[in-house]
Amino acid sequence: MTILTDMSFTTLIDLVGTFVFAISGIRLASGKNIDWFGAYVIGLVTAIGGGTTRDVLLDVTPFWMQDPIYIIITGAALLSTILFKEKLFKWGNTLFLFDAIGLGLFTIVGLSKSLDAGLPFWVCIIMGTITGTLGGVLRDIIINEVPLLFRKDIYALACIAGGIVYFACYKFNFLMPLSESIAALTVIVIRIISVKFHIQLPLLTTINPSQDRTDTNDKV
């Protein structure tokens, strides 16, 4: 496994993020009467969906096609969920915590890889947001849930804030592991605080369709 022979801090974040995001997908699948294989697929999609989209946009071979470690880690996440499901499932916030951690870690992986590709900082922030959020979007679509990204929760904005912090640290010449850690914690903390204190974006409200037609007819 080539990835294990060149273990950088970013790679470590990537592997840990894969594990926790896979667990978040598997944990959510457990409430949908899905079998073990189905749960594995959902966990895998959650773990690799955002990064695959990022790599396609960067015109590089998707990361999981270059090393089987991501497939193996998802299997380990499924096994851990099966073995420790009593402890995991009785924690009401398990899914949320794993999702928040995965969100923070994957955002930084996307930022770092985009920066290595020589992209402008604003593109790197978008790529980090895609890496962090799209796997969860695909997960929610598969299990017929409204994706968190499209709800009023602070989700993608946490990734953007983390990206801004990342580049602030970068400009001040912080060591890369320190920059990545601070930025990942920023995403995680913002996500946790926004949920704990019910900090949300306002909903987009619309005029009643019948009223809207009436107003239009009146104008005509």
Side-chain angles (χ1 to χ4, degrees):
M1 296 181 188
T2 57
I3 197 168
L4 296 180
T5 62
D6 185 24
M7 180 69 76
S8 65
F9 187 72
T10 303
T11 300
L12 179 61
I13 288 178
D14 196 17
L15 297 180
V16 174
T18 298
F19 183 77
V20 296
F21 243 179
I23 284 185
S24 78
I26 294 166
R27 172 68 179 86
L28 192 58
S30 68
K32 299 292 182 176
N33 295 320
I34 295 173
D35 63 23
W36 286 7
F37 179 74
Y40 175 84
V41 171
I42 292 173
L44 184 62
V45 168
T46 307
I48 71 172
T52 300
T53 305
R54 175 203 65 223
D55 287 348
V56 169
L57 291 174
L58 293 176
D59 196 25
V60 299
T61 303
F63 63 102
W64 58 271
M65 293 183 179
Q66 303 179 56
D67 199 296
I69 188 65
Y70 300 96
I71 310 297
I72 296 171
I73 287 178
T74 303
L78 175 63
L79 182 60
S80 298
T81 305
I82 293 170
L83 293 177
F84 303 107
K85 62 181 179 180
E86 296 298 329
K87 292 182 178 180
L88 286 175
F89 289 8
K90 74 178 181 180
W91 296 342
N93 294 323
T94 300
L95 173 61
F96 165 68
L97 289 175
F98 278 109
D99 189 78
I101 294 170
L103 184 68
L105 296 179
F106 271 8
T107 297
I108 304 313
V109 172
L111 282 164
S112 180
K113 290 191 175 183
S114 302
L115 184 63
D116 290 342
L119 297 174
F121 81 93
W122 60 273
V123 178
C124 294
I125 291 176
I126 292 174
M127 288 296 187
T129 303
I130 288 173
T131 307
T133 62
L134 201 59
V137 171
L138 295 174
R139 173 199 66 202
D140 292 342
I141 290 173
I142 290 173
I143 62 174
N144 199 29
E145 294 278 351
V146 177
L148 282 172
L149 183 64
F150 305 137
R151 301 181 205 171
K152 56 187 176 180
D153 298 48
I154 302 297
Y155 197 68
L157 286 179
C159 301
I160 295 172
I164 293 172
V165 169
Y166 180 92
F167 277 96
C169 294
Y170 181 80
K171 289 296 183 183
F172 283 102
N173 296 317
F174 284 24
L175 294 175
M176 191 58 67
L178 181 59
S179 299
E180 293 176 343
S181 299
I182 293 174
L185 284 173
T186 299
V187 177
I188 296 168
V189 169
I190 289 176
R191 182 78 182 114
I192 292 173
I193 289 176
S194 66
V195 171
K196 181 175 178 61
F197 295 100
H198 307 289
I199 302 172
Q200 301 169 333
L201 292 176
L203 295 174
L204 179 63
T205 57
T206 59
I207 301 174
N208 183 281
S210 59
Q211 181 66 40
D212 189 34
R213 286 194 296 271
T214 302
D215 292 344
T216 302
N217 292 333
D218 289 343
K219 292 177 182 178
V220 175

